[in-house]
């Protein structure tokens, strides 16, 4: 099957999921992001790469955070940015996804950043856009959030340098998490030898080991000697959906506290994609503690998104 | 009208015929096989050299979309598709709009179908009113109007007491109850098989236990009530094992699988191909093998098309939102032949699964070419490849996982009551 | 051309021409990769206390839409205050002038220098943009399609390689 993300010569055409991307492309994005991290620290945070191009954020599912970071990233590349929060506009009037997309194409957009509540939505849109348009998946249902996965491994690389000797634990609702799936694919592709998932059975997908992870139901056992702890957000609906009894019990068994963190390596880093539920998946003292890299993650997110947009914009059709 | 079909490879599974032979038709009925009847003088001769002549196919499930869903397909377009696929008799499920739970609707459907003079239509009546799973339908009236069985299709029937009563009532009159085993609670929200592929793609899963847990209940109730049971569209290896045991212990049960499930697994979803959004879902490789073993050893009785035409717009959506279903009438024959070739099954054995055996399940004198039977005949070229694409399909539903692929097995002519109702252009 | 220029000799020439410019608030900024090596060597020769920076102009090239982003982007590194500084911009070969234009655009995004002096090892002519180097090691003539590339060996010594027309 043709990889829908790559051109015939193996260059990145769309960023739809981390799964299916070769290690060389992941590294290209991470290396390019290093340069952009420097740009963000300057007085003039802009470079002229995407000048004259229009980037459209089409968010069928709301998100102020992610949309804002994509907007900032595009503007720092000197692109013109249009943001469409479809929930409030034509989609609500019954317009189909393809009609919304076609209208934006007619307005000469060059790049779409898409977020949708359904898995596969970004692939679907990428199948239907003309060849000069690039699609970036900003999150599709439970499937994939590739820029988050990328910024997470970028963060790990910044703090740990090498991947080949790391133990990484991902804690929480893997079943419903597109972030978890992207993180798992990024880590395994980059050669992390041990990727652990820590969660109750109700929050793990069927056959999850096939993704290349080791399953732990006991958080203390799962955190032993890890170098990186990646926490996932727990949504309130999980309690009402008969997947968990209460937030309190979840915090007791799977919340990250100082005491549990001490089981990991002493220089282990703590990550979270945000927004955090303090006291549910993570204790405030850990979130604000010395091992937390949660705030830097946000900064790196802009550099990584700038890198993705630049690479896509520069690749020939 | 006297028709002589000559020189074909004549295959009649029920009557054990598999030879180069001739077929003679008089006044819409089979008048002779092999030797011409006394004083036969053909008005029309069909030279079927190099072709197979077999009984017209009997399809246990084809949605014709009338009444109610005419924008997706019409009776006329789908019955054209049927005969283009060599299907001369078909059963249609009651999930129309309005539901087939009133004798008047059934009569009207049968009447309209008859006027079209294409394939024979045998409606299945709804098992419960509006398929809501609460009240029984007038099964006797519906049977009189022409229903050959009573089905719940994909609508949930969670109240086990209602299920018990429906079976008891059907058993009273010897009616067959058609059920697709699915526990609505376990399947809730799911769109793909709950396994490795759904885990990777982030699709909500329908676990195998949704089928097997429901099946256990249904089989127990069938044994208790003595109702005749036909299980529709099995999809798991374990369900096949359960049916094997039930048959061995004497439960009156038959079952079918959809042709797609004989060839495809969850992996065919690929990059969210909405054409693979089906019910039941495409399951694992192990399940596929279980279905093939079951079909081969007879645990699974028949193959059907599960024809469900869907309009293009309804598939142009992200996977979970895309409408469920695939066009199938014109693919039933080639997919059966493909299975026969893959599994090393003889042609007569394979054709039995789509002719004599489903006819038996429907209680019809069809699916065979015995002298005196209605001349419903399919003439096809088993070696001719054709490409599955919008323009080669007569059905208004152009969506199938096999779109773009080439399959072997092309119908050349179809006869119903001795009349040519389809001829390959 | 008759003979490849002696890169090491030219570096000496360049260093001598730059030395008189050092009294003010100066910094050396080299353009990746040849210019960056040169700037590094010049800093070694002229004084480690001179601030050293490098620019990877990938984000400022004018041919991005045609050839895309280079697969190896190195971060630019300017760790000193550009505002009010006298920058000595260093590159190996001056040709069309487009690289210098991109470098200046990038430099000015860091701040407003007091002045920019361009020092190149070799000026091969063929300008497409009005850019001139104030400090030049040598002027050379090349045939169309020929390319001059600066390399640095294990010991840190510079050599030129001539790439013939394809």
């Amino acid at each position: 099957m043709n990889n829908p993300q790559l051109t015939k010569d193996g260059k990145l055409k769309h960023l739809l999921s981390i799964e299916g991307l070769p290690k060389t492309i992941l590294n290209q994005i991470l290396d390019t992001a290093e340069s952009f991290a420097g740009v963000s620290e300057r007085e003039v945070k802009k470079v002229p790469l995407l000048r004259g191009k229009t980037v459209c954020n089409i968010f069928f599912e709301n998100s102020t955070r992610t949309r804002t970071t994509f907007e900032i990233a595009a503007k720092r590349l000197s692109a013109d940015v249009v943001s469409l929060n479809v929930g409030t506009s034509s989609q609500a009037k019954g317009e189909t996804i393809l009609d919304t997309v076609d209208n934006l194409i007619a307005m000469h957009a060059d790049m779409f950043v898409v977020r949708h509540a359904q898995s596969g939505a970004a692939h679907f849109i990428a199948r239907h856009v003309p060849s000069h348009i690039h699609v970036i998946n900003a999150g599709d249902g439970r499937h994939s959030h590739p820029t988050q996965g990328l910024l997470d491994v970028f963060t790990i690389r910044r703090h740990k340098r090498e991947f080949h000797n790391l133990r990484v634990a991902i804690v929480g609702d893997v079943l419903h998490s597109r972030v978890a799936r992207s993180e798992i694919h990024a880590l395994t592709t980059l050669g992390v030898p041990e990727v652990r998932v820590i969660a109750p059975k109700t929050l793990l997908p069927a056959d999850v080991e096939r993704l290349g992870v080791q399953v732990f139901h006991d958080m203390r056992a799962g955190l032993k000697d890890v170098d990186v702890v990646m926490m996932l957000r727990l949504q309130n609906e999980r309690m009402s959906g008969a997947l968990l009894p209460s937030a309190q019990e979840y915090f007791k068994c799977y919340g990250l506290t100082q005491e549990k963190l001490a089981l990991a390596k002493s220089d282990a880093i703590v990550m979270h994609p945000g927004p955090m539920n303090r006291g549910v998946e993570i204790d405030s003292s850990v979130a604000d503690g010395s091992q937390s890299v949660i705030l830097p993650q946000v900064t790196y997110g802009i550099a990584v998104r700038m890198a993705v947009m630049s690479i896509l914009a520069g690749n020939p059709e | 009208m006297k028709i002589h079909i000559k020189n074909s490879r004549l295959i009649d599974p029920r009557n054990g015929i598999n030879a180069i032979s001739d077929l003679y038709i008089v006044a819409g009925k089979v008048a002779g096989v092999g030797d011409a009847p006394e004083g036969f003088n053909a008005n029309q001769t069909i030279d079927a050299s190099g072709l197979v002549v077999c009984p017209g196919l009997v399809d246990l499930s084809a949605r014709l979309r009338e009444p109610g869903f005419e924008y997706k397909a019409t009776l006329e377009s789908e019955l054209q598709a049927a005969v283009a696929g060599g299907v001369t008799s078909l059963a249609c499920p009651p999930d129309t709009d309005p539901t087939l739970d009133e004798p008047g609707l059934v009569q009207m459907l049968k009447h309209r179908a008859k006027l079209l003079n294409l394939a024979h239509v045998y409606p299945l009546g709804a098992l419960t009113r509006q398929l809501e799973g609460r009240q029984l339908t007038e099964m006797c009236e519906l049977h009189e109007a022409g229903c050959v069985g009573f089905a719940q299709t994909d609508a949930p029937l969670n109240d086990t007491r209602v299920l018990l009563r429906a079976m008891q009532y059907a058993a009273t009159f010897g009616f067959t109850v058609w059920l697709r085993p699915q526990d609505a609670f376990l399947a809730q929200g799911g769109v793909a098989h709950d396994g490795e592929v759904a885990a990777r793609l982030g699709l909500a899963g329908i676990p195998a236990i949704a089928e097997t847990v429901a099946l256990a209940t249904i089989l127990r109730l069938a044994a208790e009530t003595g109702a005749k049971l036909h299980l529709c569209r099995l999809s798991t290896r374990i369900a096949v094992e359960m049916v094997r045991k039930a048959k061995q212990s004497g439960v009156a049960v038959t079952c079918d699988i959809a042709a797609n499930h004989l060839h495809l697994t969850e992996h065919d979803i690929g990059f969210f191909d909405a054409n693979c959004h089906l019910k039941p879902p495409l399951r694992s490789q192990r399940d596929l093998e279980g279905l093939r073993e079951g079909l081969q050893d007879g645990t699974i009785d028949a193959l059907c098309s599960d024809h469900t035409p869907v309009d293009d717009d309804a598939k142009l959506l992200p996977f979970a939102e895309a409408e469920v279903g695939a066009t199938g009438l014109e693919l039933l024959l080639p997919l059966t032949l493909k299975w026969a070739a893959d599994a090393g099954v003889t042609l007569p054995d394979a054709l039995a699964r789509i002719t004599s055996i489903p006819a038996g399940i429907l209680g019809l004198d069809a699916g065979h070419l015995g002298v005196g039977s209605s001349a419903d005949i399919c003439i096809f070229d088993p070696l001719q490849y054709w490409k599955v694409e919008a323009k080669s399909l007569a059905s208004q539903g152009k969506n199938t996982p096999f779109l773009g692929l080439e399959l072997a097995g092309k119908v050349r002519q179809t006869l119903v009551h001795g009349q040519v109702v389809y001829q390959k252009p | 051309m008759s003979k490849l220029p002696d890169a090491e000799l030219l570096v000496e020439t360049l260093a001598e021409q730059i030395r008189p410019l050092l009294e003010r608030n100066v910094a050396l900024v080299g353009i990746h990769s040849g210019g960056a090596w040169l700037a590094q060597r010049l800093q070694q020769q002229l004084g480690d206390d001179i601030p050293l920076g490098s620019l990877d102009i990938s984000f400022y090239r004018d041919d991005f839409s045609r050839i895309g982003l280079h697969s190896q982007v190195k971060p630019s590194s300017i760790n000193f205050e550009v505002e009010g500084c006298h920058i000595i911009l260093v590159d190996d070969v001056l040709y069309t002038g487009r690289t210098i234009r991109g470098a200046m655009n990038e430099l000015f995004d860091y701040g407003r220098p007091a002045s920019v002096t361009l020092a190149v090892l070799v000026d091969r002519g063929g300008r497409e943009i009005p850019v001139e180097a104030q400090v030049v090691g040598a002027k050379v003539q090349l045939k169309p399609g020929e390319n001059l590339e600066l390399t640095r060996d294990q010991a840190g010594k510079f050599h030129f390689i001539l790439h013939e027309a394809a």
Side-chain angles (χ1 to χ4, degrees):
Chain A
M1 232 179 295
N2 285 331
N3 189 330
Q5 300 191 78
L6 303 179
T7 62
K8 279 188 291 269
D9 346 305
K11 293 197 152 68
L12 200 63
K13 185 160 96 143
H14 301 296
L15 180 67
L16 305 175
S17 71
I18 302 225
E19 190 185 18
L21 292 183
K23 192 170 170 179
T24 46
I25 292 207
L26 293 191
N27 279 324
Q28 182 194 14
I29 296 173
L30 296 179
D31 291 338
T32 309
E34 280 293 347
S35 299
F36 283 118
V39 169
S40 299
E41 284 151 24
R42 294 186 330 206
E43 187 69 36
V44 174
K45 299 176 182 15
K46 275 193 185 220
V47 297
L49 277 176
L50 260 60
R51 200 173 52 203
K53 300 262 197 250
T54 303
V55 174
C56 257
N57 288 323
I58 321 177
F59 277 54
F60 293 93
E61 190 187 59
N62 269 330
S63 160
T64 318
R65 298 174 125 240
T66 308
R67 190 167 46 80
T68 311
T69 51
F70 272 106
E71 276 176 13
I72 293 176
K75 286 182 179 164
R76 288 201 183 157
L77 292 168
S78 304
D80 294 319
V81 179
V82 173
S83 281
L84 204 62
N85 243 351
V86 183
T88 54
S89 71
S90 37
Q91 175 93 157
K93 298 182 199 147
E95 191 179 57
T96 65
I97 298 181
L98 290 187
D99 282 339
T100 306
V101 167
D102 283 343
N103 278 325
L104 290 167
I105 293 174
M107 296 186 224
H108 300 292
D110 300 288
M111 194 175 286
F112 290 141
V113 176
V114 181
R115 172 173 279 209
H116 197 283
Q118 289 295 347
S119 301
H123 274 83
F124 173 66
I125 290 175
R127 265 202 285 274
H128 287 96
V129 295
S131 58
H132 67 278
I133 293 189
H134 306 283
V135 176
I136 298 178
N137 183 5
D140 63 328
R142 303 179 191 176
H143 171 233
S144 180
H145 193 358
T147 56
Q148 181 72 43
L150 285 165
L151 79 88
D152 286 341
V153 291
F154 181 82
T155 305
I156 295 176
R157 201 169 83 156
R158 271 264 168 138
H159 288 90
K160 295 287 176 188
R161 304 210 171 282
E162 297 290 343
F163 290 111
H164 68 262
N165 51 7
L166 292 182
R167 269 193 201 94
V168 177
I170 300 175
V171 186
D173 186 1
V174 178
L175 176 59
H176 298 94
S177 173
R178 52 191 173 216
V179 172
R181 282 172 178 79
S182 292
E183 287 171 346
I184 291 169
H185 291 305
L187 294 168
T188 51
T189 306
L190 289 167
V192 171
E194 208 175 311
V195 180
R196 302 179 180 178
V197 291
I198 305 175
K201 285 189 181 191
T202 47
L203 295 181
L204 289 172
D207 292 341
V208 70
E209 306 83 359
R210 303 274 200 103
L211 297 178
V213 300
Q214 260 186 289
V215 175
F216 285 79
H217 298 308
D218 180 338
M219 189 168 180
R220 289 189 167 76
L223 285 180
K224 198 155 181 343
D225 296 331
V226 300
D227 301 283
V228 181
V229 184
M230 301 173 100
M231 302 304 297
L232 297 174
R233 185 181 153 68
L234 185 75
Q235 265 152 334
N236 288 327
E237 299 96 81
R238 308 305 165 224
M239 266 61 84
S240 51
L243 289 159
L244 290 174
S246 68
Q248 293 87 320
E249 181 150 297
Y250 180 79
F251 183 66
K252 181 159 188 280
C253 302
Y254 297 98
L256 186 63
T257 58
Q258 291 286 13
E259 179 250 323
K260 285 189 197 140
L261 181 58
L263 294 162
K265 294 231 179 78
S266 55
D267 62 350
I269 54 174
V270 174
M271 299 172 59
H272 191 303
M276 290 185 278
N277 281 322
R278 290 164 179 268
V280 176
E281 64 252 10
I282 189 168
D283 197 60
S284 273
S285 60
V286 174
D288 303 326
S290 57
Q291 290 172 264
S292 158
V293 298
I294 296 172
L295 283 177
Q297 274 178 277
V298 179
T299 318
Y300 302 146
I302 297 177
V304 163
R305 283 156 184 145
M306 287 172 78
V308 169
M309 289 183 184
S310 316
I311 291 171
L312 285 173
N315 281 339
E317 290 167 37
Chain B
M1 183 70 157
K2 299 200 174 105
I3 308 178
H4 174 201
I5 306 178
K6 65 180 192 177
N7 295 332
S8 72
R9 181 175 168 193
L10 191 62
I11 301 183
D12 181 356
R14 192 168 107 169
N15 294 314
I17 300 176
N18 177 20
I20 305 290
S21 190
D22 292 9
L23 192 67
Y24 302 88
I25 300 168
V26 174
K29 294 199 178 176
V30 174
V33 176
D35 298 314
E38 282 281 336
F40 181 89
N41 244 321
N43 302 119
Q44 187 189 351
T45 306
I46 298 175
D47 184 352
S49 314
L51 305 177
V52 171
V53 165
C54 70
L57 309 187
V58 178
D59 192 351
L60 292 178
S61 179
R63 286 183 168 86
L64 304 173
R65 295 310 198 182
E66 277 194 40
F69 299 104
E70 288 84 352
Y71 63 94
K72 293 188 197 295
T74 60
L75 207 54
E76 181 160 3
S77 67
E78 300 321 291
L79 290 177
Q80 296 274 20
V83 295
V87 173
T88 54
S89 300
L90 58 87
C92 58
D95 53 0
T96 46
D97 180 18
T99 308
L100 282 181
D101 63 0
E102 292 272 310
L105 291 168
V106 175
Q107 276 159 354
M108 192 156 64
L109 181 62
K110 282 200 68 108
H111 178 69
R112 285 192 18 76
K114 195 148 186 245
L115 286 179
L116 288 168
N117 255 322
L118 296 164
H120 305 292
V121 174
Y122 298 97
L124 290 164
L127 185 67
T128 59
R129 278 192 200 274
Q130 297 292 296
L131 291 172
E132 279 172 355
R134 291 200 307 250
Q135 287 182 304
L136 305 184
T137 50
E138 295 173 315
M139 293 188 213
C140 294
E141 297 269 336
L142 287 166
H143 175 76
E144 234 177 81
C147 287
V148 292
F150 298 92
Q152 192 50 28
T153 65
D154 293 326
L157 213 189
N158 296 325
D159 190 331
T160 37
R161 200 164 58 154
V162 172
L163 181 55
L164 171 68
R165 302 246 167 98
M167 285 190 172
Q168 282 175 327
Y169 194 73
T172 307
F173 304 98
F175 299 146
T176 308
V177 178
W178 292 51
L179 294 169
R180 181 166 87 80
Q182 173 150 291
D183 182 296
F185 299 113
L186 291 172
Q188 193 176 43
V191 298
H193 172 61
D194 193 27
E196 184 191 345
V197 172
R200 273 195 302 109
L201 296 182
L203 293 172
I206 303 175
I209 45 172
E211 179 168 287
T212 55
V213 163
L215 182 57
T217 302
I218 291 170
L219 288 174
R220 267 287 67 233
L221 290 177
E224 283 289 310
T225 59
K228 275 174 20 192
L229 181 61
H230 179 74
L231 297 165
C232 311
R233 307 327 95 71
L234 297 184
S235 66
T236 63
R237 160 180 284 275
I238 295 188
V240 174
E241 285 165 14
M242 292 166 75
V243 171
R244 203 175 274 122
K245 286 207 186 74
K247 282 187 169 181
Q248 279 162 4
S249 69
V251 178
V253 57
T254 54
C255 62
D256 69 56
I257 58 173
N260 283 328
H261 288 69
L262 202 50
H263 296 287
L264 304 169
T265 67
E266 54 184 342
H267 295 281
D268 290 293
I269 295 176
F271 296 111
F272 301 96
D273 184 359
N275 279 330
C276 289
H277 190 180
L278 303 173
K279 271 190 171 56
L282 297 171
R283 295 202 188 266
S284 68
Q285 182 64 30
R286 275 215 22 103
D287 289 311
L288 179 83
E289 285 159 14
L291 295 180
R292 286 189 159 209
E293 282 159 26
L295 189 62
Q296 198 145 353
D297 73 15
T299 304
I300 297 175
D301 303 90
L303 262 183
C304 70
S305 70
D306 202 22
H307 180 75
T308 304
V310 173
D311 57 297
D312 287 337
D313 280 344
K315 285 288 192 186
L316 278 179
L317 288 165
F319 191 89
E321 289 176 349
E323 196 175 312
V324 171
T327 197
L329 280 166
E330 296 157 87
L331 294 158
L332 180 60
L333 178 65
L335 291 179
T336 304
L337 297 177
K338 184 165 154 53
W339 165 63
D342 291 344
V345 168
T346 67
L347 206 43
D349 248 331
L351 289 175
R353 309 325 186 97
I354 53 177
T355 54
S356 51
I357 294 175
I361 291 171
L362 288 170
L364 304 173
D365 180 20
H368 67 93
L369 297 172
V371 171
S373 65
S374 175
D376 297 340
I377 294 163
C378 172
I379 306 176
F380 69 90
D381 182 348
L383 300 174
Q384 188 184 348
Y385 277 85
W386 57 283
K387 191 165 181 195
V388 180
E389 51 190 351
K391 61 181 186 202
S392 62
L393 294 171
S395 166
Q396 276 190 34
K398 308 292 185 188
N399 297 287
T400 150
F402 291 93
L403 210 55
L405 297 178
E406 290 216 335
L407 295 174
K410 191 82 192 77
V411 174
R412 292 294 188 83
Q413 283 189 59
T414 305
L415 291 89
V416 172
H417 273 318
Q419 256 191 301
V420 176
V421 291
Y422 172 77
Q423 190 148 280
K424 178 170 155 359
Chain C
M1 53 179 296
S2 45
K3 204 174 67 136
L4 273 181
D6 182 333
E8 281 294 320
L9 204 57
L10 289 178
V11 172
E12 289 303 322
T13 316
L14 218 58
E16 285 321 303
Q17 292 185 61
I18 291 172
R19 207 179 287 278
L21 308 172
L22 291 179
E23 62 245 279
R24 306 172 291 179
N25 165 25
V26 295
L28 288 163
V29 175
I31 301 174
H32 272 301
S33 42
W37 294 333
L38 284 172
Q40 198 177 32
R41 168 74 78 80
L42 288 169
Q43 190 207 37
Q44 282 165 9
Q45 284 196 235
L46 299 171
D48 320 353
D49 54 335
I50 304 173
L52 177 66
S54 66
L55 291 174
D56 179 308
I57 58 148
S58 301
F59 301 154
Y60 289 82
R61 297 180 65 98
D62 63 7
D63 53 4
F64 173 70
S65 347
R66 274 195 304 119
I67 67 172
L69 206 54
H70 195 272
S71 56
Q72 287 293 338
V73 173
K74 291 178 207 47
S76 294
S77 163
I78 308 277
N79 298 318
F80 51 87
E81 184 60 64
V82 166
E83 198 77 19
C85 182
H86 293 278
I87 306 278
I88 300 176
L89 191 60
V90 183
D91 204 7
D92 45 5
V93 180
L94 176 58
Y95 183 18
T96 61
R98 292 178 190 275
T99 300
I100 305 302
R101 181 208 70 90
M104 292 230 278
N105 279 17
E106 178 162 4
L107 196 57
F108 275 73
D109 273 349
Y110 280 88
R112 186 185 180 279
S115 71
V116 179
T117 303
L118 179 61
V120 300
L121 207 56
V122 156
D123 176 351
R124 63 171 282 193
R127 222 72 81 233
E128 290 170 5
I129 309 278
V131 164
E132 277 318 313
Q134 293 97 321
V135 178
V136 180
K139 284 190 174 359
V140 300
Q141 284 274 46
L142 295 174
K143 295 202 204 55
E146 280 185 330
N147 246 338
L148 206 54
E149 186 196 348
L150 186 71
T151 62
R152 187 171 72 169
D153 67 22
Q154 296 271 45
K157 291 240 174 293
F158 292 115
H159 307 271
F160 273 116
I161 302 181
L162 180 66
H163 295 284
E164 305 282 337

